[in-house]
Amino acid sequence: ALLVYAGDTFTVTPLTNDTETIDNQLNALTTEIMPNDGNNSGQALTKAVDLLKQAGLQKGQILLITDGGNIDEATAQAKSLGAYQLLVLGVGTADGAPIALPTGGFLKDDQGGIIVEKLDVSALQKLAQAGGGSYQTLTADDSDVRSLFSDLSSTLQKEGGKNENLLLEQWS
């Protein structure tokens, strides 16, 4: 499945094995299509669990791609994931950077100041841990995703599961 979120969460594609459909949808996603601002990752996790349960999946993995947001709310939600494991991919740097707008300039707060998002690796590691998963920071190559799914494969092997049962990639 592919979910997107800001202030609200939306399903772009339902649970599917058709990764080409998901891949095709990624190119069309921009921040401008979101009806309201925000970073409600806790709500995104709730929606992801709802999709897994609706599909009758007793176990599953959720890949949350985020620059942070309301980590406290998301961590509280992650603690209630049960058999659903949370993998977190952090986007950004500890120094932060302004958020460029496609029309030029940078995203500003209500007072007109430029918003500088900083990646809080420690908070995101705690979020992943609360969800029984692991954390990686986005890299220029695929080592970040390889590491996340290597951790997942190790967990599945310890539990006697097979990696072939991994049918869900949750992008939020």
Side-chain angles (χ1 to χ4, degrees):
L2 175 62
L3 302 179
V4 295
Y5 71 97
D8 293 310
T9 303
F10 302 92
T11 303
V12 177
T13 62
L15 287 169
T16 181
N17 291 336
D18 184 359
T19 56
E20 284 187 36
T21 296
I22 292 174
D23 188 45
N24 286 334
Q25 295 298 316
L26 291 174
N27 293 328
L29 298 178
T30 65
T31 54
E32 293 80 38
I33 68 170
M34 300 307 290
N36 51 17
D37 294 333
N39 201 336
N40 195 342
S41 50
Q43 183 187 70
L45 293 177
T46 299
K47 180 73 169 176
V49 169
D50 288 347
L51 286 174
L52 290 163
K53 286 181 178 178
Q54 288 171 5
L57 297 173
Q58 302 299 315
K59 289 184 175 183
Q61 295 74 34
I62 300 167
L63 174 59
L64 178 69
I65 302 173
T66 183
D67 62 359
N70 189 345
I71 297 298
D72 292 337
E73 180 185 331
T75 301
Q77 180 60 30
K79 289 178 182 177
S80 68
L81 292 178
Y84 305 114
Q85 184 181 37
L86 178 61
L87 307 173
V88 179
L89 183 61
V91 178
T93 66
D95 293 333
I99 301 168
L101 296 173
T103 56
F106 298 102
L107 185 64
K108 296 181 180 180
D109 61 23
D110 292 338
Q111 290 74 38
I114 294 175
I115 297 174
V116 177
E117 289 290 332
K118 295 182 180 184
L119 187 65
D120 186 345
V121 171
S122 176
L124 291 175
Q125 288 171 330
K126 289 177 185 174
L127 172 62
Q129 186 177 37
S134 56
Y135 169 83
Q136 286 293 316
T137 301
L138 182 71
T139 61
D141 58 16
D142 65 353
S143 62
D144 47 6
V145 175
R146 285 185 183 276
S147 179
L148 281 174
F149 287 103
S150 172
D151 293 347
L152 176 60
S153 293
S154 297
T155 301
L156 287 171
Q157 287 174 355
K158 287 177 190 173
E159 295 175 357
K162 294 181 181 178
N163 204 9
E164 66 193 25
N165 294 328
L166 178 62
L167 302 175
L168 170 71
E169 293 182 18
Q170 181 68 51
W171 297 73
S172 302

